[in-house]
Amino acid sequence: MGRMIRIELYRAFHGKELKAAMLLGGMLGLAHFVLEVIPSVSHIFDGYHPDIASSVVGNVTESWMGGMINPEINIYQMVVFLLITIPYAASFYTDRKSGILKNIAVRGEKREYLAAKSVAVFMTAGVSAVFPLLLNLMLTMTMFPVINYDWYQLPNYKALFMNLAVKNVIAYCIVYMALIFVFAGLIAGLALSLSLYANNRFVVLSLPFLICIVSGRLVVYSGNPVIRGLAIQKVFYVPQSSPTTLVSLCILFVVLVLCGYVHFMVRGVKMDVL
C-alpha cells in the first residue's frame, strides 16, 4: 500500500496538470496583490483616527484576498472547482484508457491502487485550492501589519470560526484554509466517481464544476439556513458575507464522502477492466 501511494503521489505532484492549476491559481492571487494590495499601501492610515477606538490602520485582515469582498475572491469562488479537478482527478480515466489499470488488476493490486489514487487526488485538489489564498496572504503580509479582526470588521456575525478570528487572525486563516483543503479534496472525489462511467476526459474535469454550481443555485435562496448553507460555493467564499453552517458542512461532508471516495472504492473494485 505504501509503495503504491508513493508512486501515485509522485505522479500527481510531478505532473504538468498540477503545475498548470497552481499557475492559474497563483496568477489570481498575484493579480489581487498587484491590483488591490499594492495601491492600498499609500492609504494605510486613511481609516485611522487616534480618538476613535474602533479605527485601525490598513492591515492584512482587511487587505488580503480572503479578508473582504473583492473581485478576485468572487472569481476564485467560481474557478476553484476547475482548479480542484485539473491536477489529477481525471488520472483514473486516463489510466483506464491507456491500459495501466489492466496491468494493475492482473497483478492483484487493484484495491491498493484505488486507495492510492484517492489519496493522490485528494491531496492535489487541496493544494490547488489553497495555493492562491496562501500565496496572496503571504504577499500581503509583506506590505501590511497583522491586526486581529475587530467585531465590526467581520462580514457576518454568524461566520464560521468567528471567535477564533477575533482572537488570532492568522490562526483563523489557517483553519479556514484547512477547511477549504478538505472540501476541495472531497469534491475531487466526485470526479473520480464520474470517471468510472465517463467516456470523455472533459466530462470528468467539468461535471463536478457544473454539479457544484447548479446545486448551489438550487438551494441558495431557501429560507432555511441549513438548506441555504448546503451551497458548496459558500465553503470557498472566505469573506463569509453569507456563511454556511456547521450542520450544513456535516451534511455536505457525508454526502461528498459517500458519493465520491466510498462509491469510487466500492464500484472500482468490482469494475471489470480486463
Side-chain angles (χ1 to χ4, degrees):
M1 173 70 76
R3 180 178 65 87
M4 188 68 73
I5 291 177
R6 288 194 298 271
I7 292 173
E8 284 299 315
L9 287 176
Y10 181 88
R11 292 178 63 196
F13 281 91
H14 286 79
K16 61 180 182 297
E17 292 86 357
L18 176 61
K19 296 174 183 176
M22 293 182 69
L23 177 62
L24 291 173
M27 289 174 62
L28 184 60
L30 183 61
H32 178 271
F33 177 73
V34 173
L35 298 176
E36 306 285 344
V37 176
I38 293 178
S40 299
V41 174
S42 59
H43 305 285
I44 190 171
F45 293 106
D46 286 4
Y48 177 68
H49 302 282
D51 55 334
I52 301 177
S54 61
S55 68
V56 293
V57 298
N59 55 80
V60 170
T61 302
E62 297 177 332
S63 304
W64 82 290
M65 192 169 79
M68 296 293 176
I69 299 172
N70 55 78
E72 289 77 21
I73 197 65
N74 291 333
I75 296 173
Y76 171 81
Q77 184 190 22
M78 301 296 291
V79 304
V80 67
F81 300 113
L82 295 177
L83 297 179
I84 287 169
T85 57
I86 287 174
Y88 208 55
S91 61
F92 178 81
Y93 169 82
T94 56
D95 286 356
R96 182 160 56 91
K97 289 297 182 181
S98 66
I100 292 176
L101 187 53
K102 290 182 180 180
N103 295 328
I104 292 172
V106 169
R107 294 198 302 268
E109 299 177 347
K110 191 176 178 183
R111 189 182 298 275
E112 289 79 5
Y113 164 80
L114 295 175
K117 180 70 70 178
S118 298
V119 171
V121 168
F122 182 92
M123 295 296 294
T124 52
V127 169
S128 298
V130 168
F131 179 70
L133 298 173
L134 183 60
L135 175 64
N136 183 267
L137 178 63
M138 294 175 66
L139 289 173
T140 305
M141 289 174 65
T142 66
M143 307 295 288
F144 283 97
V146 176
I147 298 177
N148 288 339
Y149 274 104
D150 199 348
W151 288 100
Y152 82 95
Q153 291 177 300
L154 291 168
N156 192 300
Y157 73 97
K158 295 182 179 179
L160 292 173
F161 317 123
M162 183 178 66
N163 291 331
L164 179 61
V166 174
K167 294 178 181 178
N168 190 321
V169 67
I170 298 301
Y172 165 78
C173 292
I174 292 173
V175 168
Y176 202 92
M177 281 190 274
L179 178 72
I180 289 176
F181 189 103
V182 170
F183 275 88
L186 294 179
I187 291 172
L190 293 178
L192 274 181
S193 282
L194 291 169
S195 64
L196 294 170
Y197 309 99
N199 289 315
N200 187 289
R201 189 171 185 269
F202 177 77
V203 172
V204 177
L205 294 177
S206 62
L207 202 52
F209 169 83
L210 294 176
I211 291 173
C212 292
I213 296 298
V214 172
S215 63
R217 291 300 179 187
L218 291 175
V219 300
V220 74
Y221 297 110
S222 172
N224 187 305
V226 174
I227 296 177
R228 190 166 61 247
L230 293 176
I232 191 66
Q233 297 98 317
K234 292 178 180 291
V235 178
F236 299 92
Y237 201 62
V238 188
Q240 296 195 72
S241 55
S242 177
T244 184
T245 69
L246 289 176
V247 175
S248 303
L249 286 180
C250 291
I251 295 173
L252 283 172
F253 182 88
V254 172
V255 170
L256 290 172
V257 169
L258 293 177
C259 295
Y261 294 108
V262 171
H263 177 264
F264 174 70
M265 289 294 298
V266 173
R267 173 68 178 138
V269 169
K270 297 178 181 179
M271 185 177 181
D272 184 12
V273 297
L274 299 177

